[in-house]
């Protein structure tokens, strides 16, 4: 599992995996394949308007460069088309907010696009990062690194370390402005804003792979064994499905 995202309008949960895109229509159901491609989808995000963006590598029997750059789907994941940076970028993290699209290439290069990925401007990262999350309501951006959480308030032009924040591997910005993060050991943390005090919530067992916060505030976490859901801000989790 490489990425999780909620589809606007339908509320179904999308799962970007090593073997293509899957969807979960309701908790308790088994995820079903979307489309016929088995592309290794790495970075993955869905805009508020319903556009899908991803990066990754061709699946068995599929054509294309080893690094697909940015690809997009306008038909809910049934088919994918190249947008830019084919053979040049391998985004392991993608996020969209407003008209901006952010991608982390190889952990060391942050790129930003405001024209749906056609052109990009490069930002300077002070540290290699694993994940990035953009505030839906501003130009703020947070990124996770081995040195700690990084905050930008100017769309990634500059970053400052948040020395009082916990060490996080994954982070997501909720619609209400709050943040949810998860540490490399599975400890869930929440904050009303990035530079506010962070609170410990539940600890998730197993190797964490992906996380997202839906528009309703539900927190989904994928581990190597199961998909979990929390409806109380990360205080408790229940199993949605095992795999």
């Amino acid at each position: 599992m490489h990425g999780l995202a909620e589809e606007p309008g339908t509320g179904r949960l999308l799962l970007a995996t090593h073997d293509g895109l899957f969807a979960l229509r309701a908790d308790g159901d088994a995820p079903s394949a979307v489309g016929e491609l088995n592309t290794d989808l790495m970075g993955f995000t869905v805009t508020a308007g319903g556009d899908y963006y991803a990066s990754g590598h061709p699946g068995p029997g599929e054509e294309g460069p080893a690094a697909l750059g940015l690809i997009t789907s306008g038909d809910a994941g049934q088919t994918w088309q190249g947008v830019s940076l084919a053979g040049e970028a391998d985004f392991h993290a993608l996020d969209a907010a407003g008209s901006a699209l952010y991608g982390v290439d190889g952990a060391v290069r942050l790129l930003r696009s405001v024209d749906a990925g056609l052109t990009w401007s490069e930002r300077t990262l002070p540290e290699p990062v694993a994940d990035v999350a953009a505030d839906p309501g501003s130009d703020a951006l947070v990124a996770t690194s081995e040195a700690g959480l990084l905050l930008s308030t100017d769309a990634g032009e500059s970053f400052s370390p948040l020395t009082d924040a916990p060490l996080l591997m994954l982070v997501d910005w909720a619609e209400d402005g709050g943040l949810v993060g998860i540490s490399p050991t599975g400890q869930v943390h929440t904050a009303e804003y990035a530079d506010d005090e962070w609170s410990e919530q539940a600890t998730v067992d197993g190797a964490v792979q992906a996380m997202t916060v839906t528009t309703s505030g539900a927190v989904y976490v994928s581990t190597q064994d199961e998909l979990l859901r929390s409806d109380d801000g990360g205080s408790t989790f229940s199993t949605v499905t095992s795999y």
Side-chain angles (χ1 to χ4, degrees), residues 9-100:
T10 69
R12 69 174 182 167
L13 186 70
L14 302 168
L15 300 82
T17 80
H18 185 74
D19 299 303
L21 185 65
F22 290 77
L24 187 72
R25 295 189 178 277
D27 288 2
D29 291 351
S32 57
V34 177
E36 298 180 356
L37 296 178
N38 56 358
T39 306
D40 180 10
L41 299 174
M42 300 294 293
F44 177 69
T45 191
V46 180
T47 69
D51 294 319
Y52 292 22
Y53 289 100
S55 190
H57 315 282
E62 296 178 0
E63 298 181 354
L68 293 175
L70 184 73
I71 58 176
T72 189
S73 175
D75 56 9
Q78 295 296 317
T79 60
W80 293 86
Q81 298 79 41
V83 180
S84 61
L85 302 178
E88 300 178 32
D90 179 12
F91 295 121
H92 282 205
L94 284 170
D95 201 18
S99 62

Side-chain angles (χ1 to χ4, degrees), residues 133-156:
D135 181 3
S138 73
D139 285 333
L141 193 70
V142 289
T144 65
S145 79
E146 291 185 355
L149 194 63
L150 306 172
L151 172 65
S152 172
T153 58
D154 53 12

